[in-house]
Amino acid sequence: MNRVQVILTLDMENLPSNFSEILKQEQEVVAGWKAQGFLEHLFLRQTKNGAVLVFKDKDEEQVKALMETLPFYQIKRSVEYYNLIQQF
């Protein structure tokens, strides 16, 4: 089973005035992904400037397309993608 890890960093210096609205929309999208079963983990970064997401059963192109639908994607500083292999 493949995994793709995504490290999302937000541009905290240029947050829009409706950030709390965007946060609520973000939480709804992520909850939907978890309910659908392909978002395995979500870790908020201790610095509160982004998150680490781990997707399963999706390839990198699918994950990139999903990430582009996230409300926070519009206020990103950077996004990094890592394909992972689970060792048994």
Side-chain angles (χ1 to χ4, degrees):
M1 185 180 309
N2 69 309
R3 304 279 195 285
V4 178
Q5 176 180 298
V6 180
I7 300 175
L8 173 66
T9 302
L10 300 179
D11 184 0
M12 300 302 286
E13 296 172 9
N14 296 301
L15 293 180
S17 59
N18 66 337
F19 180 77
S20 60
E21 248 179 68
I22 296 170
L23 174 60
K24 184 177 179 183
Q25 294 169 355
E26 180 85 4
Q27 291 169 333
E28 291 170 2
V29 171
V30 168
W33 290 354
K34 284 185 174 183
Q36 292 175 59
F38 57 81
L39 180 62
E40 188 171 39
H41 297 290
L42 170 69
F43 300 95
L44 300 179
R45 294 176 45 192
Q46 191 173 22
T47 55
K48 299 182 182 178
N49 69 339
V52 176
L53 302 92
V54 179
F55 291 86
K56 66 179 181 179
D57 300 329
K58 300 283 183 193
D59 64 32
E60 186 174 336
E61 291 307 312
Q62 292 170 314
V63 170
K64 285 181 178 179
L66 286 166
M67 288 299 295
E68 290 175 6
T69 69
L70 273 180
F72 276 176
Y73 192 83
Q74 305 307 314
I75 56 174
K76 73 184 179 319
R77 175 168 288 175
S78 65
V79 182
E80 301 171 69
Y81 299 90
Y82 298 94
N83 289 286
L84 307 174
I85 300 169
Q86 185 172 8
Q87 184 177 1
F88 296 96

